[in-house]
Amino acid sequence: EMQARGVEQERKSEKVVHGWQRTLVSSRVASQSSELAEMQRKMDQKERAAADAEVKLVGELAVVDAKLRRSEQKVVEMEERLVQAEERVGQSLDDDLDLKRQLADAEK
């Protein structure tokens, strides 16, 4: 009977130990789940920040691109004016030469 009580006590002790082990395992799992959830939240936060930064950069790029296009158009317009001015100067020089020839011819 003592042996039976000892076996019974041993079984109860094992049940208590197994209960504590399950509690510890459950606690560790809950802790790790919490840590994983926090890591996931931080990753989501960083992904949102990266997406926001990308949207901002795309917007800034569009503004810079529009400014560049306007500047390029101004350069084209200035080049056209320069060509027109060169043509006028050339014509003016031709006209001056013609007048000088006419004057020289008239003086002869």
Side-chain angles (χ1 to χ4, degrees):
E1 191 175 307
M2 292 255 303
Q3 193 175 11
R5 283 186 190 165
V7 169
E8 175 92 17
Q9 188 63 34
E10 192 175 319
R11 284 186 188 150
K12 285 181 182 179
S13 294
E14 286 177 3
K15 285 181 181 179
V16 169
V17 168
H18 288 303
W20 279 107
Q21 286 175 340
R22 280 195 298 275
T23 301
L24 283 174
V25 168
S26 294
S27 176
R28 286 182 186 156
V29 167
S31 176
Q32 288 175 347
S33 293
S34 176
E35 290 174 15
L36 287 173
E38 179 65 15
M39 289 171 63
Q40 184 64 47
R41 186 189 66 77
K42 287 179 180 180
M43 273 182 44
D44 291 345
Q45 189 177 31
K46 287 178 182 181
E47 286 175 359
R48 280 193 302 275
D52 291 346
E54 182 180 5
V55 167
K56 182 180 177 184
L57 286 175
V58 167
E60 290 174 358
L61 180 59
V63 169
V64 169
D65 186 54
K67 288 179 181 179
L68 178 61
R69 289 177 191 265
R70 283 194 296 273
S71 294
E72 288 172 341
Q73 183 60 37
K74 286 180 182 178
V75 167
V76 168
E77 291 170 2
M78 291 171 79
E79 287 173 342
E80 290 171 353
R81 285 191 224 144
L82 180 60
V83 167
Q84 292 170 356
E86 288 173 343
E87 289 172 352
R88 286 193 300 270
V89 167
Q91 185 61 45
S92 179
L93 289 174
D94 289 346
D95 291 347
D96 283 352
L97 284 175
D98 285 344
L99 286 174
K100 286 181 182 177
R101 281 191 206 119
Q102 290 174 5
L103 185 59
D105 288 345
E107 286 177 355
K108 286 184 187 176

